[in-house]
């Protein structure tokens, strides 16, 4: 969880939970599944979607605590950015694999 008070937690969409599972946790989700079916696939692999949702909501709350409703939150420790729109985390972005590889080699 972030350092933001729980009273400022954003909502986290199914799409954001799916993208976190794919892009941060590295879970393979079959192409062509809608977000709800993708989350069923994630749960079947014993991944706690509710914990992911709470984690994203806490980080997304940085935007709300700053008095805004939309924006981008950078989470360097997890090498991700969260896009918040109207109080909801709507997607998770990570560096492209090629960029990530270069950054790791430089470190």
């Amino acid at each position: 969880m972030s350092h933001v008070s729980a009273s400022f937690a954003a909502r986290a969409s199914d799409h954001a939970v799916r993208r976190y599972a794919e892009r941060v946790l590295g879970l393979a989700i079959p192409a062509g599944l809608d977000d709800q079916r993708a989350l069923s696939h994630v749960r079947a692999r014993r991944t706690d979607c509710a914990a992911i949702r709470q984690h994203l909501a806490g980080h997304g709350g940085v935007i709300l605590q700053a008095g805004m409703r939309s924006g981008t939150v950078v989470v360097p420790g997890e090498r991700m950015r969260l896009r918040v729109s109207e109080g909801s985390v709507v997607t998770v972005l990570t560096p492209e694999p090629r960029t990530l590889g270069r950054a790791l080699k430089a470190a």
Side-chain angles (χ1 to χ4, degrees), residues 48-96:
D48 187 348
C49 291
I52 293 171
R53 192 177 305 277
Q54 182 178 7
H55 181 68
L56 295 175
H59 283 299
V62 169
I63 295 293
L64 302 178
Q65 189 172 30
M68 300 181 297
R69 302 275 305 146
S70 300
T72 300
V73 178
V74 177
V75 186
E78 295 184 61
R79 299 191 55 81
M80 69 177 179
R81 291 174 290 138
L82 307 178
R83 180 71 184 123
V84 179
S85 179
E86 296 303 316
S88 291
V89 179
V90 295
T91 197
V92 175
L93 305 165
T94 56
E96 293 296 321

Side-chain angles (χ1 to χ4, degrees), residues 11-78:
R11 292 178 309 279
S13 69
D14 288 347
H15 184 75
V17 174
R18 173 197 188 139
R19 292 301 184 212
Y20 183 89
E22 289 176 322
R23 296 174 176 167
V24 177
L25 300 180
L27 296 178
I29 296 175
L33 295 181
D34 64 26
D35 290 335
Q36 288 193 352
R37 288 188 178 164
L39 293 187
S40 293
H41 180 81
V42 170
R43 285 186 201 96
R45 270 117 196 102
R46 299 189 179 271
T47 300
D48 187 348
C49 291
I52 293 171
R53 192 177 305 277
Q54 182 178 7
H55 181 68
L56 295 175
H59 283 299
V62 169
I63 295 293
L64 302 178
Q65 189 172 30
M68 300 181 297
R69 302 275 305 146
S70 300
T72 300
V73 178
V74 177
V75 186
E78 295 184 61

Side-chain angles (χ1 to χ4, degrees), residues 79 96-107:
R79 299 191 55 81
E96 293 296 321
R98 209 174 85 183
T99 304
L100 175 61
R102 257 188 257 140
L104 291 175
K105 288 179 186 176

